[in-house]
Amino acid sequence: MQQADIIEGIKGKYFQKFGETSNPDKVRTFRSPGRINLIGEHTDYNNGFVLPASVDKAVYFVIEPREDDQVILHAADLDETYTFNVNDLSKPDQAWSHYQLGIIEQIYKKGLKIGGFQTTFGGDVPVGAGLSSSAALECCLLFALNELFDLGLDRFNIVKMSQKAENEYVGVQCGIMDQFASAFGKEESVIRLDCRSLEYEYFPFPMQDYLLVLCDTSVKHSLASSEYNTRRLECEKGISILKKYYPDIESLRDVTPEIVAEHKDELGDPVNRRCKFITEEIQRVQDACDLLVEGNLVEFGQKMYATHQGLQHEYEVSCPELDFLVDQTINDPAVLGARMMGGGFGGCTINLVKKEAVDDFEQKMKAAYLQAYQIDLPCYKVKITTGTEEIL
Ligand code: GLA
């Protein structure tokens, strides 16, 4: 569906729900996109580099301030509503509302104030597919409330507060990549973000004759969040061991693959493999950006495969479904690169595929996946578009 149709659909539902109380002059619409990540996985919470981009699948909030202290959240896709007083942030059963409540909590933690509001939200970011629909929800609501109530926040505030909402209220210990990509995305460019300093640079992504296609395993293994937290701890363990030799080390960003190799035995397994992957992956983002500047997508694709290998065997956050989808592409001349994307244990693979071969590619992947897993494989062609914005 086209963006304009999606927005019309959500607006229609807004006016159905709130038509009687609404002042149409005060109704505004905001958009925050989902994200992809080209290279640099699990490096954000290690203070390394990532290379994400925001895509043409987004979350939209149609929203209006109210005269009273009520907040009415209306989830268009579920047709569910949650109403609460803006000063009462107790956690309700509806898990989908935790992102919004987490955002309001962060506003208060910054010493800022808002009044009541009513909103209908929805969009086309597939949920649970690893495109960070949650970061999009957080960034979109905070961006909207910033405008509605003149909070004076800049995009960096929006990113950091959205990440904190997820860490503190939702209880997921994610890094900063997803929120940053959703807020700072730029048309046809990837963002090289230094997660230590938050310095960032846009690199035009020279699509040439290629398209980015996501293949959605449609599985999410229950290990995802517990293993994510375990990886964070394993990285910290590595740092505490290496710190004895290099007291200035604060994160794996300050460590090279050579240092990891030198202390392999003391790090022990699996910590040595975790540290090896992260230090190599941080370097891979830098190398990949050089390749983009050269316009060398062939080598870039090889880096994507190398990332997958590392995630599969060293960082161990892949799963059979993801490995299967990547394996299918290895001898396909139409595919330059493929790898699992995001936290792992399910979600999507990202594939760099020759434009003219995309339909064949999708058919082939769907048939293979159906045969192996009896699942109809959703495939999404994604375009890199601009980040969080008001739709005027
Ligand atoms: C999830 C997290 C991100 C990042 C990725 C892995 O998407 O939300 O912060 O750590 O996993 O790169």
Side-chain angles (χ1 to χ4, degrees):
M1 224 197 299
Q2 296 293 310
Q3 169 165 304
D5 298 333
I6 297 173
I7 295 174
E8 276 320 299
I10 298 173
K11 275 192 178 158
K13 289 184 178 168
Y14 178 87
F15 286 110
Q16 253 171 29
K17 177 110 193 137
F18 299 110
E20 281 172 19
T21 57
S22 170
N23 174 353
D25 292 343
K26 292 203 167 161
V27 178
R28 295 165 75 173
T29 303
F30 297 87
R31 163 191 171 275
S32 275
R35 66 103 187 88
I36 53 172
N37 185 26
L38 272 305
I39 293 252
E41 218 63 272
H42 288 270
T43 45
D44 60 351
Y45 56 81
N46 284 300
N47 278 344
F49 292 95
V50 289
L51 197 64
S54 54
V55 294
D56 56 345
K57 295 200 172 295
V59 162
Y60 303 86
F61 276 77
V62 175
I63 186 167
E64 172 181 3
R66 288 173 60 93
E67 301 293 329
D68 59 16
D69 279 346
Q70 292 290 297
V71 175
I72 309 178
L73 303 174
H74 174 218
D77 305 330
L78 304 169
D79 197 20
E80 280 182 28
T81 302
Y82 179 59
T83 304
F84 57 101
N85 184 288
V86 74
N87 298 309
D88 174 13
L89 301 184
S90 33
K91 224 177 213 176
D93 290 340
Q94 290 96 326
W96 57 263
S97 69
H98 295 177
Y99 306 99
Q100 293 87 332
L101 282 151
I103 287 297
I104 299 175
E105 182 181 70
Q106 289 304 320
I107 292 174
Y108 295 158
K109 282 190 173 171
K110 246 196 146 43
L112 299 167
K113 265 186 142 11
I114 56 168
F117 62 91
Q118 57 195 32
T119 180
T120 298
F121 66 93
D124 62 346
V125 187
V127 175
L131 273 84
S132 286
S133 55
S134 55
L137 271 179
E138 293 147 4
C139 290
C140 201
L141 180 62
L142 186 50
F143 191 91
L145 295 178
N146 188 36
E147 295 293 319
L148 256 54
F149 297 103
D150 285 325
L151 301 179
L153 303 169
D154 62 19
R155 277 185 197 258
F156 282 105
N157 294 136
I158 288 174
V159 168
K160 288 187 204 161
M161 290 165 70
S162 295
Q163 183 200 9
K164 275 195 167 168
E166 183 122 3
N167 294 163
E168 293 172 11
Y169 195 95
V170 184
V172 176
Q173 296 310 311
C174 64
I176 202 161
M177 168 171 75
D178 304 343
Q179 289 80 5
F180 199 97
S182 186
F184 279 86
K186 181 176 166 186
E187 195 102 347
E188 290 175 20
S189 298
V190 289
I191 315 166
R192 184 183 62 193
L193 171 65
D194 179 339
C195 299
R196 181 165 64 185
S197 65
L198 294 193
E199 278 169 19
Y200 64 102
E201 190 177 342
Y202 293 110
F203 287 78
F205 195 73
M207 289 303 291
Q208 300 158 358
D209 300 327
Y210 291 88
L211 283 178
L212 288 166
V213 184
L214 307 180
C215 294
D216 184 353
T217 59
S218 312
V219 299
K220 188 87 205 158
H221 294 292
S222 55
L223 287 171
S225 58
S226 62
E227 288 296 308
Y228 188 88
N229 292 339
T230 306
R231 292 299 170 279
R232 292 191 71 133
L233 292 175
E234 287 166 343
C235 293
E236 276 166 30
K237 188 168 174 210
I239 297 157
S240 69
I241 293 170
L242 295 171
K243 234 177 159 41
K244 289 192 274 177
Y245 303 93
Y246 304 91
D248 292 341
I249 288 174
E250 277 172 12
S251 64
L252 287 178
R253 167 68 178 278
D254 307 317
V255 178
T256 60
E258 291 73 28
I259 292 180
V260 175
E262 203 180 311
H263 297 278
K264 184 169 177 262
D265 293 339
E266 193 176 347
L267 287 167
D269 201 49
V271 173
N272 64 335
R273 280 184 294 140
R274 310 295 192 240
C275 296
K276 176 174 182 288
F277 169 75
I278 295 296
T279 51
E280 287 177 358
E281 181 74 351
I282 291 173
Q283 183 56 45
R284 213 165 4 245
V285 178
Q286 301 287 48
D287 297 343
C289 289
D290 293 343
L291 293 168
L292 286 186
V293 173
E294 290 166 21
N296 189 344
L297 282 189
V298 172
E299 285 281 318
F300 187 94
Q302 290 303 312
K303 299 272 176 215
M304 293 170 74
Y305 280 120
T307 291
H308 187 79
Q309 285 283 317
L311 290 165
Q312 181 181 355
H313 299 296
E314 289 166 349
Y315 215 61
E316 293 183 300
V317 289
S318 189
C319 63
E321 294 87 347
L322 287 164
D323 297 337
F324 176 85
L325 289 175
V326 171
D327 284 348
Q328 294 304 304
T329 70
I330 285 173
N331 294 318
D332 187 339
V335 182
L336 290 190
R339 65 175 196 82
M340 59 149 276
M341 187 180 77
F345 300 101
C348 289
T349 62
I350 177 167
N351 303 268
L352 189 53
V353 186
K354 246 191 196 131
K355 227 181 234 166
E356 71 217 26
V358 160
D359 291 342
D360 283 352
F361 167 79
E362 286 189 7
Q363 267 179 24
K364 194 187 88 177
M365 297 296 280
K366 276 174 181 290
Y369 200 63
L370 189 64
Q371 198 182 14
Y373 291 99
Q374 294 76 52
I375 296 176
D376 183 17
L377 180 77
C379 295
Y380 316 113
K381 299 180 191 75
V382 288
K383 286 208 186 85
I384 299 179
T385 62
T386 181
T388 301
E389 61 182 345
E390 179 166 10
I391 305 280
L392 297 169

